[in-house]
Amino acid sequence: MGAAVATARAALAAVLASAPHTSDAELTESIVDAEALVRLVQSFQASLVAEADRRALGRVQGARDTATWLQDRLKLDPGQARARVEVARASDGPSRKALSDGVISLDHARVIATCLRKLPASAAGDVAKVERVLTERARWCRPGDLRRLADGVNATYDRDTAVRDEQAQYESRELHYVTTDDGMVMIKARLDKETGQKFIAALRPVSKPCPATNGQPDPRTPAQRHADGLATLVDLALGSDRMPRVGGQRVQVQVTVDYDDLVRSLNPDAEGVVPGVFADGVPITADNLRRLACDAGILPVVLGGDGVAVDYGREERTAPPAQRAALFRRDGVCAFPGCEHPPGTSQAHHIRHWLDGGTTDLANMVMLCAFHHRTIHHDHWNITVDHGRPVFIPPARVDPQRTPLPGGTATTAVHQRMIRDLVPKPREPEPTHN
């Protein structure tokens, strides 16, 4: 055995030395061949592990079981060690041959072995058929896809166990959250499959990539997009009439800020601007608080010089429903150039801030998704309304020429205007002469 391994090592070293000189096609083929060789070795090792398991070699050498023994001897993670034992204990059927032939992986073989082990006694006559079907499917799909198929097979043959497994998932559900020292909130959750599917279905449309202004891909990482999507879902929940009320009032997130600090924050060079605070004492800068104050989801409590509340979010600052409907019709979900944000909780942004005398009317407001609302405030984009349509002027760092970009993606209104332009105007009736 040792001599055979040494010979194989020498042969592989010679091949590896020539790899940099191969063509792309040859390199691709070599990678595929190497994977087939790995799978052949894994199949051979599975036979050895099966014999070691039969002899209880792990217990003989002081380990609790064969998987623990492999974990120590091969320095494997527990899951990897259990997978190898699972495959080793499976019958020497078509899945093992497919593994040795290199057409399925060890992960595929484990999925098949697990499925066969979980079949009830009443399905003993169908074991060979199930293994044959799963092995054939494994040639064309990834282990994750094969696992879903195998779970369906097990649920079909043993409905009671499948129901118990789903109930066990539900019982093990959990969600934990904690506010860290810097004010961020860490969330960790395990959701049962039904709730998990609902969560994924709700998150996907609100976390799609948004192309940048210059046509480049969304600069956010997938994790950042998912976090932004979760923020949108939270806004949707807080804005829903079905949200449970607290003390007879709709749920609100309250932020307290000194009015003078809020006004002084309009000057980007102002120093010593004291931040506002959430109800639990977590601070938030006045710069971000101005963005939150644009719409009704989060209401600021403005304090006078004596610390007495002088404003609880004036109604005239918030776009009423009829005005929001008009903004949606004009701007779509988000007016930012190129944004294709799906329907969600758009935010009505004051072009001239309400602190600076800006009015709450169509000429001074624009609809923005949460991501581009933050972009406008942080990167200092300028917005104007020209002939009833918003125009966005980028900062110099984005476009040194600061070329105005037309905004608004209300395709329904655009389409209606195009159709109206296509249809000939009705002619005036010709006068009749008596």
Side-chain angles (χ1 to χ4, degrees):
M1 183 65 164
V5 170
T7 301
R9 284 179 179 273
L12 288 175
V15 172
L16 184 62
S18 65
H21 308 291
T22 62
S23 66
D24 291 351
E26 290 173 331
L27 179 59
T28 302
E29 185 178 357
S30 295
I31 292 173
V32 174
D33 288 342
E35 178 64 20
L37 183 60
V38 168
R39 294 175 179 183
L40 171 62
V41 173
Q42 287 175 333
S43 176
F44 177 65
Q45 186 190 57
S47 300
L48 300 178
V49 172
E51 177 62 20
D53 188 57
R54 188 186 64 79
R55 298 184 188 183
L57 193 56
R59 285 184 174 276
V60 171
Q61 297 187 11
R64 184 174 64 252
D65 52 31
T66 303
T68 306
W69 176 67
L70 282 181
Q71 184 180 331
D72 177 63
R73 295 291 295 180
L74 304 182
K75 303 300 181 283
L76 299 175
D77 288 331
Q80 292 177 313
R82 287 193 298 270
R84 299 195 186 189
V85 173
E86 184 100 42
V87 172
R89 287 175 177 173
S91 61
D92 193 11
S95 58
R96 177 71 67 80
K97 184 177 186 307
L99 177 61
S100 64
D101 290 344
V103 295
I104 69 172
S105 69
L106 184 69
D107 290 333
H108 288 111
R110 185 192 187 186
V111 170
I112 297 172
T114 301
C115 179
L116 298 180
R117 176 176 54 80
K118 293 171 67 175
L119 287 175
S122 59
D126 290 339
V127 170
K129 180 177 68 175
V130 170
E131 182 176 12
R132 184 171 64 254
V133 170
L134 291 179
T135 302
E136 181 60 30
R137 181 58 185 162
R139 296 169 179 264
W140 310 107
C141 70
R142 296 181 178 90
D145 296 324
L146 185 67
R147 185 174 297 108
R148 283 184 278 274
L149 173 60
D151 287 344
V153 170
N154 286 129
T156 301
Y157 276 99
D158 192 352
R159 177 180 172 187
D160 291 340
T161 299
V163 171
R164 287 195 298 271
D165 288 345
E166 289 178 352
Q167 181 62 26
Q169 276 197 358
Y170 178 75
E171 294 297 336
S172 66
R173 71 197 185 280
E174 58 182 341
L175 188 149
H176 307 276
Y177 64 90
V178 61
T179 303
T180 60
D181 293 341
D182 59 0
M184 295 193 75
V185 176
M186 300 288 291
I187 301 173
K188 178 182 178 181
R190 275 171 46 89
L191 307 177
D192 60 275
K193 62 176 66 176
E194 178 182 341
T195 305
Q197 289 297 317
K198 290 178 181 178
F199 174 74
I200 293 171
L203 187 66
R204 277 178 175 168
V206 292
S207 58
K208 294 195 308 184
C210 294
T213 312
N214 57 4
Q216 294 299 312
D218 193 325
R220 297 174 296 170
T221 65
Q224 290 172 331
R225 288 192 287 104
H226 293 157
D228 291 345
L230 180 59
T232 299
L233 294 180
V234 171
D235 286 343
L236 281 169
L238 291 177
S240 172
D241 291 335
R242 298 175 62 184
M243 189 75 177
R245 293 176 178 262
V246 178
Q249 295 183 344
R250 292 180 62 177
V251 175
Q252 296 177 355
V253 177
Q254 193 176 83
V255 185
T256 305
V257 65
D258 186 277
Y259 181 79
D260 291 338
D261 288 308
L262 198 58
V263 173
R264 290 178 60 229
S265 70
L266 291 170
N267 178 6
D269 298 323
E271 297 181 355
V273 178
V274 180
V277 291
F278 289 103
D280 60 358
V282 173
I284 180 172
T285 63
D287 305 76
N288 268 321
L289 212 162
R290 291 202 318 274
R291 173 177 55 82
L292 298 181
C294 279
D295 212 353
I298 299 180
L299 301 179
V301 177
V302 181
L303 304 181
D306 56 359
V308 177
V310 298
D311 182 46
Y312 288 87
R314 300 188 300 275
E315 283 297 323
E316 61 268 21
R317 177 182 55 75
T318 300
Q323 193 173 73
R324 288 178 66 90
L327 286 169
F328 270 121
R329 180 174 177 82
R330 186 193 73 183
D331 299 341
V333 176
C334 179
F336 195 88
C339 181
E340 297 180 356
H341 195 280
T345 303
S346 291
Q347 300 169 358
H349 168 73
H350 286 73
I351 296 173
R352 185 184 184 193
H353 201 276
W354 64 283
L355 281 174
D356 203 27
T359 56
T360 303
D361 55 42
L362 293 179
N364 189 51
M365 302 194 77
V366 63
M367 295 304 292
L368 297 170
C369 68
F371 174 68
H372 285 125
H373 196 182
R374 184 179 293 271
T375 299
I376 293 296
H377 276 273
H378 282 201
D379 294 344
H380 305 294
W381 285 64
N382 289 338
I383 307 174
T384 61
V385 176
D386 184 18
H387 294 88
R389 305 295 295 177
V391 177
F392 292 74
I393 303 172
R397 72 171 189 81
V398 175
D399 177 10
Q401 306 302 319
R402 306 202 69 191
T403 305
L405 302 171
T409 56
T411 55
T412 301
V414 172
H415 288 176
Q416 287 181 331
R417 187 171 64 251
M418 293 173 65
I419 294 172
R420 193 174 295 112
D421 291 341
L422 287 172
V423 176
K425 295 181 179 179
R427 295 184 300 173
E428 293 291 332
E430 296 181 2
T432 58
H433 301 282
N434 296 330

